Amino acid sequence: MKDRKRKPRSDALRNHDRLIEAAKDVLGKGGPDASLEAVARQAGVGIGTLYRHFPSREALFHAVFRRELELLVETAEGLADGPEPVAALRGWLHEYVVLVETKRGMLGALSMVMAEESKQAYAELSARIISAVNRLLQKAADAGHAREDVTAEELLQVVYALCYAREPGPDWRAQVLHLLDIFVEGLKR
């Protein structure tokens, strides 16, 4: 008889998702030293449940970061077919700023545990993001709504520069999004 791996129970899947959402919030605000007990509490589970799903702090960080990248890819791919390419691009960039905010809170921990295997997984997701954003840019350019000489890589560099030009604080996101909106207006033809 072969050993078969059972599918996770629906409550286990819900707990897993709630833990990732709670970790995004708690770790994004508290950084690498944020309390895992606070993550479990916000998710409505015990600390043992957290450790059953994520055996280490680093595993939890990677799960949050990977989930955020996957959502960014899905969002960009979905927006590429929309009727308003510049509005779609702006909306996607706003989502990207949220990822940077989360990552910024976890940056120290992520950089310490970034193994070669993790870099490979993130490289594949990054390539998909670049491809989808290039499609958004091309669609906006083809419609005559945006410059044709901007690449996804350049756009993402600008977003990072805007994000890291501001010190973290309660108004950080609003300030970065305001600057980003000014930049997007400059992309228009």
Side-chain angles (χ1 to χ4, degrees):
M1 183 147 111
K2 290 184 181 179
D3 286 334
R4 284 199 221 173
K5 193 170 183 176
R6 290 185 329 185
K7 285 185 182 179
R9 295 182 344 216
S10 61
D11 62 328
L13 292 173
R14 278 193 306 276
N15 286 343
H16 185 269
D17 291 344
R18 288 195 334 235
L19 283 163
I20 289 176
E21 281 305 308
K24 175 184 166 188
D25 183 47
V26 172
L27 300 173
K29 291 176 184 169
D33 297 325
S35 162
L36 293 184
E37 287 81 8
V39 171
R41 195 170 32 256
Q42 186 166 324
V45 300
I47 193 70
T49 299
L50 183 145
Y51 280 112
R52 270 192 301 282
H53 287 275
F54 306 102
S56 68
R57 177 181 293 270
E58 293 78 17
L60 181 59
F61 290 163
H62 281 296
V64 171
F65 190 52
R66 181 167 184 77
R67 169 75 58 87
E68 291 301 296
L69 285 177
E70 289 169 348
L71 289 173
L72 274 178
V73 168
E74 291 169 14
T75 301
E77 290 172 347
L79 290 171
D81 297 325
E84 297 290 330
V86 175
L89 185 61
R90 177 182 284 116
W92 185 84
L93 289 169
H94 281 218
E95 292 297 318
Y96 189 71
V97 168
V98 173
L99 170 71
V100 172
E101 184 177 35
T102 301
K103 181 183 174 191
R104 192 175 186 158
M106 300 186 312
L107 201 54
L110 278 172
S111 64
M112 290 186 311
V113 297
M114 194 62 80
E116 205 53 45
E117 179 181 314
S118 301
K119 289 179 186 176
Q120 285 293 105
Y122 296 138
E124 179 261 322
L125 285 167
S126 293
R128 287 180 56 203
I129 287 172
I130 296 293
S131 175
V133 172
N134 274 326
R135 280 184 49 216
L136 282 170
L137 286 167
Q138 188 61 54
K139 185 167 182 179
D142 290 348
H145 297 223
R147 297 170 50 142
E148 297 173 351
D149 62 340
V150 179
T151 67
E153 291 89 347
E154 293 168 331
L155 185 60
L156 296 177
Q157 286 175 351
V158 168
V159 175
Y160 251 69
L162 293 175
C163 288
Y164 286 95
R166 297 270 182 215
E167 289 296 317
D171 296 332
W172 178 87
R173 187 187 303 182
Q175 292 170 350
V176 171
L177 292 177
H178 178 70
L179 292 172
L180 188 58
D181 287 343
I182 293 169
F183 177 77
V184 170
E185 287 299 312
L187 284 176
K188 291 181 179 178
R189 267 206 283 183

